[in-house]
Amino acid sequence: MGREDPPPQGNPTIRTVAMPADTNPAGDIFGGWLMSQMDLAAGNVAALTSGGRSATIAVDAMIFHRPVKVGDEVSLYASLIKVGRTSMVIHVDAWRRPRQSDKSEMVTEANFTFVALDDEGRAVPVTSESP
């Protein structure tokens, strides 16, 4: 299941707090909310890498290891793992830290594929290979 190792070194791409409005009837955070936060983190890396606009075209290998609870701090770590001619694959790990604890655990991971776009929404070559 989720790893209880320390989170990755460095600053997260995004850090947020899970709020009550984002829960299902059981009190856990909706997977869709977490996926959207992961997409935002991957999008930051895609924008830096492409030098402009980009769009999500696929999400692969999404694994929900553990639930996220209301009040948890959620840290999202995104890293570029592959650059194609017009596409980028970005791996995102989501980690939770309960408010009253200093221990984190990985809760979700996935690979997001983005395509670089021009102003008209057409695919264009990626201009750089590192964020």
Side-chain angles (χ1 to χ4, degrees):
M1 290 292 169
R3 292 196 322 237
E4 294 182 13
D5 304 326
Q9 292 293 316
N11 293 323
T13 307
I14 290 177
R15 182 175 284 153
T16 190
V17 175
M19 299 299 286
D22 305 314
T23 61
N24 63 26
D28 297 327
I29 296 300
F30 280 118
W33 177 85
L34 187 54
M35 185 176 179
S36 71
Q37 298 301 309
M38 294 172 75
D39 190 47
L40 289 170
N44 284 344
V45 173
L48 287 171
T49 304
S50 69
R53 186 175 169 200
S54 61
T56 309
I57 61 167
V59 180
D60 297 311
M62 179 159 276
I63 302 169
F64 292 93
H65 296 287
R66 295 181 182 207
V68 174
K69 302 290 187 184
V70 170
D72 286 351
E73 177 185 88
V74 179
S75 297
L76 301 132
Y77 296 86
S79 58
L80 182 67
I81 59 173
K82 182 180 175 188
V83 176
R85 191 178 73 76
T86 63
S87 65
M88 300 150 280
V89 179
I90 298 144
H91 182 79
V92 181
D93 289 333
W95 289 72
R96 73 179 278 268
R97 183 190 62 79
R99 289 178 76 94
Q100 65 280 12
S101 174
D102 62 355
K103 295 188 178 167
S104 296
E105 62 183 356
M106 189 173 69
V107 292
T108 308
E109 61 184 306
N111 294 328
F112 289 75
T113 303
F114 280 73
V115 66
L117 302 172
D118 65 14
D119 291 338
E120 284 76 44
R122 293 183 300 253
V124 295
V126 175
T127 58
S128 110
E129 290 195 20
S130 62

